[in-house]
Amino acid sequence: MRVQRSIALTTAVLGLVLLSGCRTDDVEGVPVAPSGSASGAESTASAEPAEETEGADPTADAAGRRVVDAATAGGLSKMTGDRAPSDVAIDPGEMRDGMNLVMNNYASAGGDPVLVVAVDNVPEETTERREHLWRGMLEHIKWDYELGQPEAQPVEDAGPLGGSVECMLASLTEDGDVVCGWADDTTAGVAHFPNSTLPEAGKLFVTMRADLEK
């Protein structure tokens, strides 16, 4: 009789445990993943989507635009042979793995060469890199800083690539040496236009940039 009572009592206790929905995570030291997932970490990851960077364009190419060694730029042909850049002491700034550098002369038949220096995947603010390239270009054309610092002026129509496009007159007359530069999210470039004016150089620079940046 006592054996039967013990069996009956044990059965009743087990029934209460099952009805109360007891889980193994109620047992100290035994964690249990939520129902329907393999682990708690996986459940959290699936339930909370990754946050987007504020102001980021989800359609933007993460790699950004790149500069290319174009055969022609703005209708001007890349100079080769003895008309290619030589002994050009323009420091493009820090060059890391994955960056491209373009340094070419472009000209029409019999025209003055336009020296272009451009880089992409810039690790710092691209406007800072443009300033660096501007200084190098002014030194290359031997600008006399005792005459003052040429003032960069924005080009009204930056073209389809956008960003900031500016030109400066490195001359005491309305025509002469003009240095232009662009800066956008990932690239920066400058060019020297000899015997030009600000409007002429700015318009040609924007056209050339469309072939040099992709």
Side-chain angles (χ1 to χ4, degrees):
M1 182 65 68
R2 288 182 179 178
V3 173
Q4 291 178 345
R5 286 182 180 179
S6 176
I7 292 174
L9 180 60
T10 301
T11 301
V13 170
L14 287 174
L16 288 174
V17 169
L18 292 173
L19 289 174
S20 64
C22 178
R23 295 171 47 178
T24 52
D25 58 348
D26 292 329
V27 180
E28 184 177 358
V30 183
V32 173
S35 176
S37 68
S39 70
E42 290 180 359
S43 175
T44 302
S46 61
E48 298 180 3
E51 294 183 1
E52 294 184 0
T53 303
E54 184 177 355
D57 180 0
T59 64
D61 183 358
R65 300 193 189 106
R66 309 305 294 266
V67 296
V68 297
D69 187 22
T72 60
L76 306 182
S77 300
K78 182 175 71 172
M79 299 291 93
T80 58
D82 58 1
R83 298 199 71 189
S86 60
D87 300 327
V88 177
I90 297 179
D91 177 13
E94 180 185 5
M95 295 296 296
R96 297 182 178 181
D97 290 343
M99 295 180 68
N100 293 319
L101 167 66
V102 168
M103 185 181 295
N104 289 321
N105 278 332
Y106 290 90
S108 59
D112 294 318
V114 175
L115 175 61
V116 173
V117 183
V119 293
D120 59 25
N121 203 13
V122 176
E124 76 274 19
E125 288 291 333
T126 55
T127 53
E128 295 179 8
R129 181 61 65 99
R130 180 177 61 181
E131 292 283 347
H132 181 94
L133 294 172
W134 262 336
R135 289 193 296 270
M137 189 67 79
L138 289 172
E139 291 175 3
H140 172 66
I141 65 175
K142 296 179 172 57
W143 170 253
D144 185 357
Y145 282 97
E146 291 185 0
L147 299 175
Q149 170 69 46
E151 181 181 353
Q153 301 181 26
V155 175
E156 291 184 4
D157 184 4
L161 296 177
S164 169
V165 180
E166 299 181 358
C167 293
M168 62 178 71
L169 181 62
S171 172
L172 297 179
T173 61
E174 292 183 358
D175 59 355
D177 292 310
V178 178
V179 177
C180 295
W182 88 71
D184 55 28
D185 288 342
T186 58
T187 73
V190 299
H192 166 230
F193 298 87
N195 301 315
S196 188
T197 65
L198 282 173
E200 291 172 352
K203 183 177 180 180
L204 179 55
F205 183 61
V206 168
T207 305
M208 294 180 70
R209 179 189 172 199
D211 295 318
L212 295 166
E213 181 183 1
K214 300 298 182 182

